[in-house]
């Protein structure tokens, strides 16, 4: 990587990364990660909800009609 790369590792919130990586989880037992994501979103003022399967839906807010923001999907 060089100075002109868009991806800057120095911009990563290392404390948050360490917190997320320290949450013990395994496939089909993600309750701790679900709880973390819901609490984190509440603290940050994001809208979040969990469905009956345990999926977390998080939104940073609402946009006026005709505007949109990208959708990002990740596996816990």
């Amino acid at each position: 990587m060089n100075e002109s790369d868009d991806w800057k590792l120095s911009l990563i919130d290392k404390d948050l990364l360490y917190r997320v990586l320290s949450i013990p989880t395994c496939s089909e037992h993600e309750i701790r990660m679900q709880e973390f994501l819901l609490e984190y979103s509440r603290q940050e003022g994001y809208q979040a909800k969990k469905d009956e399967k345990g999926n977390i839906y998080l939104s940073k807010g609402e946009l006026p009609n005709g505007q949109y923001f990208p959708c990002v999907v990740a596996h816990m």
Side-chain angles (χ1 to χ4, degrees):
M1 293 196 322
N2 61 43
E3 186 94 15
S4 65
D5 291 335
D6 288 338
W7 179 252
K8 302 285 186 201
L9 295 177
S10 63
L11 299 178
I12 293 174
D13 182 340
K14 291 176 187 77
D15 290 333
L16 178 57
L17 178 61
Y18 293 142
R19 286 174 52 203
V20 169
L21 293 176
S22 70
I23 300 169
T25 61
C26 61
S27 185
E28 299 183 21
H29 301 280
E30 299 97 356
I31 188 70
R32 290 181 185 111
M33 184 61 74
Q34 294 165 348
E35 290 171 350
F36 173 84
L37 292 171
L38 292 169
E39 178 60 21
Y40 178 80
S41 62
R42 187 192 65 74
Q43 290 174 1
E44 294 294 317
Y46 304 151
Q47 301 169 11
K49 63 181 178 178
K50 182 171 90 169
D51 69 10
E52 68 282 347
K53 292 184 177 185
N55 297 308
I56 305 292
Y57 297 90
L58 192 142
S59 175
K60 290 177 99 174
E62 295 182 22
L63 296 173
N65 286 336
Q67 293 186 0
Y68 62 92
F69 52 87
C71 176
V72 178
V73 179
H75 180 69
M76 283 186 271

